Amino acid sequence: MQPLAGIVVVAVEQAVAAPLCTRHLGDLGARVIKVENRRGGDFARDYDEAVHGMAAHFVWANRNKESLALDLKHPEGRAILARLLAGADVMVQNLAPGAAARLGLDATELRARHPRLITVDISGYGRGGPYALARAYDLLVQSEAGSCAITGTPEDPAKPGIPLADIGAGMYALTSVLTALYARERTGRGASVSVGLFDAVAEWMGFALNQARYGGFDVRPNGLSSPMVSPYGAYRTADGQTLVLGTTNDREWQRLAVHVLDRHDLAADPRYATNSDRVAHRAELDEAIAAWAAGVTLAEGRALAEKAGLGHARLNTPTEVVAHPQLAERNRWREADSPVGPVAVLLPPPECDDWDWRLDAVPALGEHSESILRELGHGPAELERLRAAGVFATPDRPAAP
């Protein structure tokens, strides 16, 4: 028995934030009906063709879903969506600003008709404010919220490689749905939730914003390191690898200096006594560690760090992470079906002995259109009429471009 078995989620979604939220709900057993534009569907389907012809983003965020390819600009398409919502527990949408209201997905109106419904609106900047109607993609939001300014280097700010704004908003939406479902068990009432990508990034910028507000300074990015701690960074080894070492307190610094670098002089130097001192002299310490790393292999460096009880890592590329032993030996890679055959997927991060994760297929566009409409009571003649009118599409009879 999966925890959310019996819960019905209707998702009018695209890209990453909402699809990632609803995919996790599906992983937990919820039935997720993904309502897509009948012409092309979720635009993330076309980002690339990396997974045997399917897009990497789409495969990542859309297993465990049924795809209904519907024309929501058509009155009968909106009527079908309304009937779906009448039987739903949760509605999640992340359409462009203003689009949801035009399609009859205003949270206040939906809750008035369906008091037990949980509505989740994911937007760029949340409710109200001067940016409420601004278009918001991950890079734009991360730039606006400051995370790009503390990534990279002062000369070359950078966007973090993963879509943190999208992922953050999706995860806050997920936890909000779970919380609202729990509250509904006690109150019998649903909830209306709004999550902004900007607010998710701003929350995660917490330490940097505190420093800006109370210290009056901006965090200076310093590449593959931490602006807050030193030594903490990446160092090239004699065999051309990159060793990442981290110290988080004075005791670890002493062990690094004495047992790894064999530099008792550094351990005794008062200029490096506290973390604040070491941050102020970061360049000197990085130079000393880089000189040491250049004389050892990656394996030798990691062995010394391990013996000294220090954190260490290898800088891996994504192709190297695919075969990472920590994933392989714990059987984290599984398979899910898809229109192009079985594809490898990772289990969700939580590990629980009390339920199995659901790992159903990634859907083709409109793959479940007919079955969902039949479930709503449409017979063969009505299905043909709706198809001819352009209300829905199926993989074998897609909408004209």
Side-chain angles (χ1 to χ4, degrees), residues 288-314:
I289 298 170
W292 163 81
V296 299
T297 66
L298 177 74
E300 291 167 343
R302 296 194 76 170
L304 286 169
E306 185 68 25
K307 186 175 180 180
L310 298 174
H312 55 91
R314 176 180 187 263

Side-chain angles (χ1 to χ4, degrees), residues 231 235 243 245 247 252-267 284-294 296 301 304-305 308 310:
Y235 308 94
L243 173 64
L245 289 172
T247 61
E252 289 186 349
W253 155 243
Q254 290 290 319
R255 296 203 299 273
L256 174 65
V258 173
H259 301 299
V260 177
L261 306 182
D262 194 23
R263 291 288 302 272
H264 292 259
D265 58 317
L266 295 179
E284 300 166 21
L285 293 177
D286 281 344
E287 183 178 355
I289 298 170
W292 163 81
V296 299
L304 286 169
L310 298 174

